[in-house]
Amino acid sequence: MPELRFDDGAAYEQVMGVWSRSVGEVFLDWLKPEQGLRWIDVGCGSGAFTELIVARCAPSDVQGIDPSEGQLAFARARPGAHGAVFQTGDAMALPFPAASFDLAVMALVLVFVPDPSKGVAELARIVRPGGLVATYMWDMLGGGFPLDPILDEMRAMGLAPTRPAHMEVSTLTALQGLWSAAGLRQIETREIIVQRTFADFDAFWTVETKAPSIAPVIAAMPPADVTALMQRVTARLPTDADGSITYSARAHAISGRKPD
């Protein structure tokens, strides 16, 4: 299966950045982190969640790591991420010594890590004893992914959009297993439901079809099939009287502490 690549920071921001911030706000409300901590945002992408850390948590240090230089260029240009340091890196081999941070997070990343258990082990390695390791991930198997209205209809038409390699780790049971295996304690979980509103179907379609799992499939489809797909997606989305579309997505969150 082809690898999903996220290289266009501006497009990713439109597709997923808004969703990510909505979940991230609830996630931070839930974590209730102290101010002035040393943070690392692994798989920071366009910097949507990093910007929230800077705005809300007054970090003494915040590092953003991502494999895509295109995403990092967008993140570095964010006025709200001023003070954060962004660099390319591998989630399974983070370029920091042990106990470098108070809090290590992944935002909507874990299903893309080639070896999720190694990624979580790295998060645990780089936090200090007593430090927090946390993530939130769309419920990829339970219908919680924001792009499911399109992806589901694509599959119903016999199409095969590329999906993340490890969608199974998005379940709460799998997350709990990974956190326990990494030696983390005081593990807590929660479900986060968020909504997004688009002015009309055209606005929805223009934004959400920029996703790298969807754009190349649509580009290869005959126009008549694209029209049929649009009709199918329109039929399943809730449309208000003014033509606006509001629908929900669901994420799973987990946190745990490194033993002292």
Side-chain angles (χ1 to χ4, degrees):
M1 180 177 288
E3 179 186 1
L4 281 172
R5 294 187 60 85
F6 300 90
D7 295 322
D8 186 334
Y12 183 86
E13 174 66 13
Q14 286 184 283
V15 176
M16 203 56 66
V18 175
W19 286 107
S20 181
R21 276 191 299 279
S22 296
V23 183
E25 292 275 9
V26 181
F27 180 68
L28 288 176
D29 288 343
W30 174 62
L31 287 184
K32 297 183 175 64
E34 298 174 13
Q35 302 284 286
L37 298 180
R38 299 167 297 166
W39 287 73
I40 182 168
D41 181 7
V42 178
C44 63
S46 65
F49 184 67
T50 320
E51 191 172 56
L52 278 181
I53 296 170
V54 173
R56 295 191 42 176
C57 303
S60 61
D61 176 39
V62 57
Q63 301 281 334
I65 298 288
D66 200 85
S68 169
E69 187 55 48
Q71 290 270 55
L72 292 171
F74 190 92
R76 291 187 188 106
R78 284 182 178 275
H82 180 72
V85 177
F86 296 100
Q87 62 176 298
T88 55
D90 180 350
M92 299 178 297
L94 295 169
F96 299 98
S100 294
F101 299 94
D102 301 304
L103 212 156
V105 296
M106 281 186 177
L108 307 178
V109 172
L110 195 56
V111 298
F112 301 102
V113 178
D115 185 338
S117 61
K118 188 177 289 187
V120 178
E122 273 292 272
L123 295 180
R125 180 185 68 82
I126 61 170
V127 297
R128 62 168 172 80
L132 197 65
V133 174
T135 194
Y136 59 92
M137 189 64 238
W138 298 119
D139 180 7
M140 304 294 289
L141 299 182
F145 188 41
L147 300 178
D148 278 343
I150 301 174
L151 293 168
D152 288 350
E153 295 304 328
M154 281 183 160
R155 287 190 290 271
M157 292 175 66
L159 301 167
T162 301
R163 302 309 312 275
H166 293 289
M167 295 196 296
E168 75 281 355
V169 302
S170 67
T171 68
L172 283 174
T173 299
L175 290 171
Q176 288 170 320
L178 288 169
W179 258 239
S180 294
L184 298 165
R185 301 290 182 264
Q186 300 176 47
I187 296 170
E188 297 181 15
T189 62
R190 71 157 290 172
E191 183 180 89
I192 300 173
I193 296 176
V194 292
Q195 289 186 328
R196 183 174 180 180
T197 298
F198 294 88
D200 51 31
F201 181 81
D202 286 345
F204 163 85
W205 188 257
T206 299
V207 169
E208 302 293 74
T209 56
K210 291 179 180 179
S213 58
I214 291 173
V217 181
I218 290 178
M221 293 170 64
D225 288 354
V226 175
T227 299
L229 174 61
M230 294 174 73
Q231 290 171 342
R232 295 177 72 110
V233 175
T234 300
R236 69 177 286 159
L237 287 170
T239 303
D240 292 335
D242 62 358
S244 64
I245 293 169
T246 299
Y247 71 105
S248 300
R250 181 176 59 258
H252 291 147
I254 188 166
S255 69
R257 290 199 176 274
K258 186 173 182 175
D260 289 324

